Amino acid sequence: MMKDFMKKIVNTSWIEKIRKGAQEPKNKTFRRSHVPFRLNFLFFIIFTLFVALIARLGYLQIVNGEEMEARVKSTSTITVQESTPRGMIYDSTGKALVTNKANQAITYTRGTQVTAKDLLEIATKLNSLIDVPADENLTDRDKKDFWLADPEHLKEVTKRLSAKEKQLGNSEQYSAMVNKVTDDEINLNEEQLKIATIFKRMNSAYELNTVYIKNSGVTDQELAVVAERASELPGVSTGTDWTREYNAADSLKSILGSVTTEKQGLPADDAEKYLAKGYSRNDRVGQSYLEKQYEDVLQGTKTQYEVSLDNEGNVSNQKEIFSGEKGSNLMLSMNAEFQSKVEEILKRNYQTLINNGKAQYSPGAYAVAMNPQTGEVLAMTGFSHEQGSKEITENALGTITSAFAPGSVVKAGTLTAGWASNAISGNQVLIDEPIRLQGASEKSSVFNRNGQVALDAVKALELSSNTYMIKVALKMLGLDYTPGMGLPSLDEEAKAYQQLRDSFKEFGLGTTTGIDLPNESPGISRSVEYMKKFNADNGKEWYTPGNFTDLAFGQFDTYTPIQLAQYASTVANGGKRVQPHLVKAIYGNDENGNLGEVKKEIGTTVENTVNISAENMAILREGFHQVVHGTDPYTTAKPLASAKMDLSAKTGTAETVAEGHPDITTVNSNIVAYGPTDNPEIAISVVLPNLLDEQDHMNLTIAKEIMDAYYDMFMAK
C-alpha cells in the first residue's frame, strides 16, 4: 500500500513536467546537467519525511491512543471535591451530644473562565427561580462589585478614571473603579438586593470550587425547577448540606467547641496548615476545643465529582464518582447526666454565696472530677461572676484556663520536696509554732496561734499545719528555724525554689496536664530571674526571700482546677500522674451513619511517677484520709466523713485580695478529694476564689454533694 502511495506521488503530472524541463539538450557538446540528481535526492527526503509522519501518526493512534484520549479529555473534565458531614460526639452512655442535620441545598461550582458578567446573568436567572432572602450583612463593597458586574456600568465607570488610573494594573485599576461608584448607584431595591446576595455567594467561590447558594429552607419545588433548568445555569446544581446541632448542657457545649461556617471557612491562623492537608478555603473546620482538638478525626472524606467544562470554561455537567464518607465519631468519658448533676450542685451552692454576699468579689467557681486510675474526665464545670452582679454565667473552660492560689491543698508536694532533698525523712516530727522571720509578718497555723505543738507529717496534713511546711522549706535551704532569723537572697534560694517546684510538677502542679483540649494554662510560677527583674524595674522589693516559705504552703504560685484534680488523682492512685482526657474512644459509622465499631480506644497515659518511696506515699495517703476521719477538733474536712463512700481529702485556704480593691481581704476556699479511699474511682477539685470568708464551708458542701451524686449513679446497689 505504501509503495503504491509513493508511486502516485512520484508520477504526478507536475513532477513529470519538472523532469521533462530538466532533460539535457540535444547538443551533445553541452555538459550533462546535475539537476535530475538533485531532484531525486529531494524526492528521497520528501519520501522519508512522509514515512516518518505516517509512522508517528500510527504510533499516536494505535500504540498511545488511550493516553492521548485521556489528555484531550482532561482539558474538559475536572475532578472537584465537596465536604461530607462531620463525625458526631456521644457521651459515655452512647447519648448523642453533637449531631448533623441534613438540609437540601442549591450549590454553585465555579468554572475556569467565569467572568463577573457571567455570574450576574446566572444570579439574575436564579433569582427568578428560587427565593433567596437578601443578606442583611451585604457591605457597600459587595453592592459595588454587584453593580460593576454589569458591562454597561463597568464601561460607564471606566470613563471616570483619570489617565493615570487607566495606566494601573488590573487589580489597582478595579479598586479605583470601585471608589468611583456613587452611593446613589448602589441604592438597590429589594429585588436587586436578592440578586446581589446570590451574586456575592457565587463570587466567593474559587475556581472549580463549590459553594452553597441556598442551604436552608430549600423547597422541593425549588430543587425541581433548578434541576429542570440546569442547562441554562452553568455550574448550578442541587445537593445536600448539613448543620451542626449541639444537644447538651451548657457546660458541655463550651467544652465541645464549635465549627466554622462555610462563609468563615478556614481560620486565618491555621489556613496554611489546613491547605497543606488538602482542605479548601471555604471548608468548615473545628474552631475551638474538642471540635478543634479532634479535627482530623471528625472531618470526613470528601465526596468527589467529575465536572465537565464547555469550551468557554463553564461547568456543563457534574457527576458523583466517589460518595465520600462521614467523619469518625467521638465517645466522651463523661456521662451527660452526671455532668449535669455536678453543674447543678456547683451552680446552686455558688449562687447561695452570691446571694448572701460572701462571693460579691469572687470571679467564679469551678469543679473537676476525673478517674484517678485512667485519667478519664468525669465532669468539669465552672461559672463566671462579675463584681456587683447577682448573675453567674457558664464557664466550664475556666477549669483549664483560670489559675488561682491553692492554699494548703498542695502540702503533699511540699512533703515530697522535703523527702527528695533529704531535708526530712519519713513521718518526721517537727514543732508547729508561730514563725517570725526578719522583715516579714508572723505566720502561724489556724489551730495554733501561740504555743508549740509537736506534729508528725500525717498530723501536719490532717490539721493543715502551715509552720510544719515552712520549717520543711527552711530545711531545704539548710536552715533550722530560730525566731527573727533572716533568709538568704533570691539568688541563694534559686536551687530550693527549683526543687520545690519540681516536686509540685510531679503531681501536675505548675505544668500543663496534657488534657485533650487546646489553650490549657500551666498556671503562674514566677522564676527567681523574673522576681529580680520585676524588683529592679519597679524599684521596690515586691518579691522577697520570704516568698519561698509562702510557696511551701500554697500562697504564691497559682494553679488551675484541672491541675488540682490531677494532683488529687496522683495521690489517690499511689503516685502515678495520669493524663486527663475527655475522649474515651473513636468510633466508625454504621450503615445509618450512627455509632459504629470501635476504631481506637484512648488508653491511660502515665506522664510520670512521683519519685518517693512507697512508705512515704503511704504517709501522704494516710494524711489525706485523716483530714476527713481524724478525731482532732481542728481536723479540717470532718463533714466529708458522713459521705456515702469512704473519702480522703485535703483542704486549702489562700489569703488573697479582691480584684481592684487591694484594701479588701478575701480567701480562696479550695478542696481536693478522692474516693473510695482504698480503691479510688473518682478524684475531684473544687475552687472558690475570693470569698469574703469561708465560714459556710461551702467547699466541703460542694465536694460532699458531688461525691454522693457519683455514688448514687454508679456505686449504689
Side-chain angles (χ1 to χ4, degrees):
M1 182 182 294
M2 185 61 72
K3 289 182 179 179
D4 293 338
F5 175 74
M6 293 309 301
K7 285 180 179 179
K8 290 180 180 179
I9 293 175
V10 173
N11 293 327
T12 54
S13 59
W14 63 273
I15 292 177
E16 286 298 317
K17 290 179 181 179
I18 293 175
R19 293 184 65 180
K20 290 178 180 180
Q23 290 178 354
E24 63 179 355
K26 295 180 180 180
N27 187 349
K28 295 182 179 179
T29 61
F30 190 83
R31 179 181 292 181
R32 185 177 180 84
S33 173
H34 294 284
V35 171
F37 171 77
R38 292 173 180 171
L39 280 176
N40 287 331
F41 183 69
L42 177 62
F43 297 150
F44 176 76
I45 293 174
I46 294 172
F47 171 78
T48 303
L49 292 175
F50 267 107
V51 170
L53 176 61
I54 293 169
R56 181 61 179 168
L57 288 173
Y59 172 78
L60 292 177
Q61 181 66 29
I62 300 171
V63 179
N64 213 26
E66 292 184 4
E67 180 182 344
M68 296 305 297
E69 184 179 355
R71 289 187 183 181
V72 173
K73 185 178 180 182
S74 68
T75 62
S76 59
T77 303
I78 305 292
T79 299
V80 298
Q81 297 180 327
E82 184 178 308
S83 63
T84 52
R86 291 172 72 81
M88 300 194 291
I89 303 178
Y90 299 81
D91 81 344
S92 61
T93 68
K95 175 184 177 182
L97 303 175
V98 184
T99 58
N100 302 306
K101 180 181 178 182
N103 305 313
Q104 297 183 132
I106 295 171
T107 66
Y108 173 69
T109 302
R110 187 166 190 155
T112 57
Q113 302 175 39
V114 177
T115 65
K117 176 177 176 290
D118 297 329
L119 294 178
L120 179 61
E121 291 176 355
I122 297 171
T124 303
K125 289 180 182 178
L126 201 53
N127 182 62
S128 66
L129 302 176
I130 65 174
D131 179 30
V132 176
D135 187 347
E136 296 179 357
N137 297 316
L138 282 176
T139 65
D140 285 348
R141 175 57 188 263
D142 295 331
K143 296 174 184 177
K144 290 181 179 181
D145 287 337
F146 164 71
W147 193 83
L148 287 170
D150 186 321
E152 293 301 317
H153 294 162
L154 189 67
K155 184 186 299 184
E156 181 180 339
V157 173
T158 302
K159 296 177 182 178
R160 302 175 189 174
L161 297 177
S162 65
K164 183 177 180 180
E165 288 171 330
K166 290 179 180 179
Q167 300 303 314
L168 296 172
N170 290 339
S171 60
E172 292 86 356
Q173 187 179 112
Y174 183 76
S175 295
M177 296 171 74
V178 168
N179 293 331
K180 303 291 183 182
V181 179
T182 68
D183 291 341
D184 286 342
E185 288 169 332
I186 60 171
N187 184 21
L188 309 178
N189 60 37
E190 184 64 23
E191 204 64 21
Q192 289 174 317
L193 288 172
K194 289 183 176 182
I195 300 172
T197 297
I198 298 173
F199 176 87
K200 176 186 176 181
R201 293 175 185 175
M202 295 170 64
N203 197 34
S204 69
Y206 294 91
E207 188 175 283
L208 298 177
N209 199 250
T210 301
V211 295
Y212 292 101
I213 296 173
K214 185 176 182 180
N215 56 359
S216 63
V218 179
T219 66
D220 292 339
Q221 182 179 354
E222 288 177 326
L223 289 175
V225 72
V226 167
E228 182 183 353
R229 305 282 289 275
S231 60
E232 304 171 26
L233 304 166
V236 178
S237 184
T238 60
T240 58
D241 187 24
W242 52 270
T243 53
R244 209 69 164 149
E245 292 192 332
Y246 296 88
N247 314 300
D250 289 342
S251 56
L252 262 177
K253 285 180 182 177
S254 60
I255 295 166
L256 295 169
S258 60
V259 176
T260 61
T261 63
E262 183 199 17
K263 179 180 178 181
Q264 292 170 322
L266 303 181
D269 293 343
D270 298 320
E272 293 304 319
K273 177 186 72 175
Y274 284 126
L275 290 171
K277 293 181 178 181
Y279 283 72
S280 299
R281 290 190 178 275
N282 67 331
D283 278 345
R284 285 166 286 188
V285 298
Q287 65 179 342
S288 61
Y289 300 102
L290 280 178
E291 290 275 24
K292 180 177 181 179
Q293 186 77 17
Y294 287 90
E295 169 63 27
D296 290 345
V297 172
L298 293 167
Q299 186 69 245
T301 304
K302 292 188 175 184
T303 300
Q304 295 184 4
Y305 293 93
E306 188 177 78
V307 174
S308 300
L309 306 176
D310 60 23
N311 56 7
E312 296 181 352
N314 293 316
V315 176
S316 59
N317 189 39
Q318 184 170 311
K319 180 178 69 176
E320 182 181 294
I321 57 176
F322 178 70
S323 61
E325 184 179 352
K326 174 177 162 288
S328 296
N329 307 299
L330 302 181
M331 176 176 280
L332 303 187
S333 58
M334 306 168 77
N335 179 300
E337 184 180 352
F338 181 64
Q339 168 74 12
S340 295
K341 284 183 179 293
V342 174
E343 181 177 337
E344 186 278 327
I345 289 168
L346 182 66
K347 182 177 183 180
R348 171 170 42 81
N349 287 289
Y350 186 53
Q351 189 67 61
T352 297
L353 291 172
I354 297 288
N355 294 342
N356 66 23
K358 295 292 182 68
Q360 61 179 300
Y361 298 107
S362 174
Y366 306 93
V368 176
M370 62 183 282
N371 184 319
Q373 310 298 340
T374 65
E376 294 178 354
V377 175
L378 305 176
M380 56 191 301
T381 186
F383 293 93
S384 292
H385 167 249
E386 295 290 335
Q387 288 187 22
S389 171
K390 294 288 186 180
E391 303 296 323
I392 59 176
T393 56
E394 187 279 323
N395 182 27
L397 295 169
T399 57
I400 69 168
T401 60
S402 300
F404 307 95
S408 298
V409 295
V410 303
K411 287 176 178 174
T414 305
L415 292 175
T416 297
W419 292 322
S421 62
N422 296 316
I424 59 172
S425 62
N427 199 21
Q428 184 170 334
V429 175
L430 298 176
I431 302 299
D432 182 286
E433 59 185 319
I435 301 294
R436 302 178 183 88
L437 299 175
Q438 183 180 334
S441 59
E442 181 178 293
K443 295 178 173 65
S444 62
S445 303
V446 172
F447 67 92
N448 179 28
R449 298 300 190 186
N450 300 303
Q452 293 185 325
V453 180
L455 302 174
D456 59 21
V458 170
K459 200 69 174 179
L461 289 172
E462 176 190 342
L463 302 182
S464 199
S465 171
N466 293 333
T467 59
Y468 189 103
M469 303 303 156
I470 291 174
K471 287 189 174 183
V472 171
L474 292 175
K475 287 180 176 296
M476 291 175 65
L477 295 171
L479 303 173
D480 288 320
Y481 171 70
T482 57
M485 67 184 294
L487 292 176
S489 67
L490 288 175
D491 282 332
E492 293 172 301
E493 289 182 342
K495 181 180 178 181
Y497 262 109
Q498 191 61 48
Q499 287 178 324
L500 190 54
R501 285 173 169 155
D502 284 347
S503 291
F504 283 0
K505 286 179 181 178
E506 289 187 13
F507 290 90
L509 301 174
T511 183
T512 53
T513 66
I515 190 172
D516 49 348
L517 287 173
N519 305 325
E520 181 189 3
S521 168
I524 299 175
S525 299
R526 303 167 185 84
S527 67
V528 170
E529 291 73 19
Y530 170 88
M531 291 187 281
K532 288 168 58 181
K533 185 177 186 305
F534 188 93
N535 287 344
D537 291 346
N538 290 276
K540 293 182 180 181
E541 291 296 309
W542 290 102
Y543 295 106
T544 68
N547 294 133
F548 177 65
T549 58
D550 293 340
L551 176 62
F553 61 102
Q555 299 279 352
F556 191 55
D557 287 355
T558 64
Y559 311 120
T560 62
I562 188 65
Q563 288 175 320
L564 294 178
Q566 189 181 53
Y567 162 79
S569 295
T570 305
V571 177
N573 65 36
K576 298 186 294 292
R577 183 166 77 97
V578 293
Q579 180 180 344
H581 56 95
L582 287 157
V583 174
K584 184 175 184 177
I586 297 170
Y587 283 75
N589 297 285
D590 64 13
E591 62 276 7
N592 298 317
N594 298 317
L595 203 62
E597 297 295 322
V598 176
K599 297 176 71 173
K600 179 182 178 182
E601 291 186 352
I602 308 301
T604 300
T605 299
V606 177
E607 297 182 299
N608 63 265
T609 300
V610 178
N611 188 26
I612 58 175
S613 67
E615 292 77 15
N616 286 340
M617 180 56 69
I619 290 172
L620 295 181
R621 286 175 53 80
E622 177 61 20
F624 274 51
H625 191 254
Q626 290 302 312
V627 166
V628 177
H629 300 281
T631 58
D632 194 284
Y634 286 97
T635 298
T636 54
K638 277 187 174 183
L640 298 187
S642 62
K644 296 179 179 180
M645 70 174 100
D646 182 28
L647 300 179
S648 294
K650 185 69 194 78
T651 59
T653 304
E655 294 182 2
T656 54
V657 295
E659 179 71 27
H661 303 276
D663 56 328
I664 298 177
T665 301
T666 58
V667 295
N668 294 350
S669 180
N670 310 316
I671 186 172
V672 297
Y674 60 85
T677 296
D678 291 338
N679 186 25
E681 295 183 16
I682 178 173
I684 69 169
S685 68
V686 176
V687 179
L688 304 174
N690 296 103
L691 304 182
L692 287 177
D693 63 61
E694 56 175 351
Q695 293 177 6
D696 294 339
H697 300 295
M698 196 64 81
N699 58 339
L700 301 179
T701 300
I702 293 170
K704 182 175 181 295
E705 289 189 20
I706 291 173
M707 291 301 203
D708 285 350
Y710 181 87
Y711 180 88
D712 290 340
M713 283 192 65
F714 305 108
M715 298 177 65
K717 301 296 183 182

